[in-house]
Amino acid sequence: MKISELRDKSVEDLTQLLDEKQLEAFRLRMAKATGQLGNTHEIKGNRRTIAQIKTLINEKQRGAS
């Protein structure tokens, strides 16, 4: 997901998306641990997306106060 797409979302939408991405990160870690994950680059992309979402949430919350 592109950062420009994320910037258009509200804090509530970003929080919901963050929960989904964190659950996906858990599933990817479990798949890697059991040897079922073929594309290990998905983990890095997911971590990056989580970091971007957290940064945007923080920016929006600081901008509101």
Side-chain angles (χ1 to χ4, degrees):
M1 182 168 275
K2 293 187 177 184
I3 192 74
S4 59
E5 295 173 4
L6 293 175
R7 288 193 187 277
D8 295 335
K9 296 184 182 278
S10 66
V11 174
E12 294 82 21
D13 292 338
L14 288 172
T15 305
Q16 181 181 5
L17 185 61
L18 179 62
D19 290 340
E20 293 171 8
K21 288 295 181 179
Q22 287 177 334
L23 181 59
E24 184 180 342
F26 174 76
R27 289 184 183 139
L28 288 171
R29 283 195 316 269
M30 291 301 111
K32 183 181 180 209
T34 59
Q36 297 174 350
L37 184 63
N39 299 325
T40 56
H41 68 277
E42 292 177 7
I43 294 173
K44 181 179 179 182
N46 192 326
R47 278 197 337 241
R48 178 173 290 169
T49 304
I50 289 172
Q52 289 174 340
I53 292 170
K54 285 183 176 182
T55 301
L56 286 174
I57 289 173
N58 193 19
E59 285 177 1
K60 288 182 183 243
Q61 287 177 343
R62 284 180 176 244
S65 60

